[in-house]
Amino acid sequence: MSFYLRTASGKTPQRSRTSMRLATSLTLGGYPLGALIALNAPLAGEGGGALALNIAGLGFIVLAIAGFAYIAPSYMQRIVGEQVCELDDLERDLRQKAYAFAYHVLTGLVAAAIFYLAVANDETRLTLWAPDSYTHWNTIFWGVLLYSFTLPTAYLAWTMPEFEPEADEDVSTPPLRKPGVRWWLWALIASGMIAGFILARLIT
């Protein structure tokens, strides 16, 4: 599951492999790190320590979302998110490999998570942490969604052959809808993610 965000000009901006590797690593690493810091902030007690941890955690989450915003209109994201009929044979092959990689990683993570939850809920064996509030499940949901969008692109960022589309080649189709609407739509979704997380922290 993924998507491709077209720019207002209809052109696909060029991103270097190095910048894409950094952006995908920031997205995949920043979100879980920020979530862990924010969710464990109450352990610091009341006062400035907990507030500082909350801000730091939200800061990492915002950086992860910013990294994905950088990825969204890129050529690599186009390969994994564009309509199949708009891709050439090489791009389709890369897309299939990226999706296969993402499927295996997500399947492994889900299997590990289910096993962990099974053990964590067996109080006769071990005493482990388990999600038990809206804040926990909300954080997990957005993390899974972000990973499903980013993993295929991360695979391409680290494995895609050294080739670039021709400078004068239009590698994207004209927008089927007003591009500004798409930008506002994803900005609204990102704002909802942040607002939902903050609200969950306030009411739990």
Side-chain angles (χ1 to χ4, degrees):
M1 179 177 65
S2 193
F3 73 98
Y4 166 60
L5 183 61
R6 296 185 180 90
T7 60
S9 64
K11 301 287 186 178
T12 303
Q14 298 301 311
R15 309 281 200 230
S16 68
R17 291 181 62 179
T18 300
S19 66
M20 289 296 294
R21 289 175 178 179
L22 289 174
T24 53
S25 298
L26 176 63
T27 301
L28 295 176
Y31 185 87
L33 177 60
L36 287 173
I37 293 174
L39 291 177
N40 285 283
L43 298 179
E46 299 293 336
L51 178 61
L53 286 177
N54 260 316
I55 293 175
L58 291 175
F60 277 110
I61 292 174
V62 170
L63 285 176
I65 296 174
F68 183 72
Y70 179 83
I71 296 167
S74 67
Y75 176 60
M76 293 180 186
Q77 187 68 24
R78 175 183 179 270
I79 292 177
V80 301
E82 181 61 280
Q83 297 181 22
V84 177
C85 61
E86 301 296 338
L87 305 178
D88 60 32
D89 291 338
L90 176 58
E91 291 169 342
R92 291 173 186 171
D93 182 60
L94 291 171
R95 178 181 184 143
Q96 183 178 7
K97 292 178 179 178
Y99 273 22
F101 169 81
Y103 170 79
H104 285 101
V105 172
L106 285 174
T107 301
L109 290 175
V110 170
I114 292 175
F115 176 78
Y116 174 85
L117 290 175
V119 175
N121 283 280
D122 187 356
E123 298 179 355
T124 64
R125 297 175 183 270
L126 295 173
T127 303
L128 300 174
W129 175 88
D132 59 1
S133 68
Y134 170 79
T135 302
H136 298 156
W137 289 110
N138 182 54
T139 303
I140 293 172
F141 168 77
W142 289 112
V144 171
L145 190 65
L146 192 62
Y147 263 54
S148 66
F149 285 164
T150 308
L151 279 172
T153 314
Y155 173 84
L156 293 180
W158 290 93
T159 65
M160 199 170 86
E162 289 280 6
F163 80 94
E164 295 290 343
E166 296 296 332
D168 58 349
E169 180 183 356
D170 185 4
V171 296
S172 61
T173 56
L176 300 179
R177 63 185 74 176
K178 294 182 179 180
V181 174
R182 294 184 63 113
W183 276 105
W184 279 106
L185 175 61
W186 291 113
L188 182 62
I189 292 175
S191 301
M193 291 171 60
I194 298 172
F197 189 86
I198 295 175
L199 180 61
R201 298 296 300 154
L202 294 176
I203 63 177
T204 56

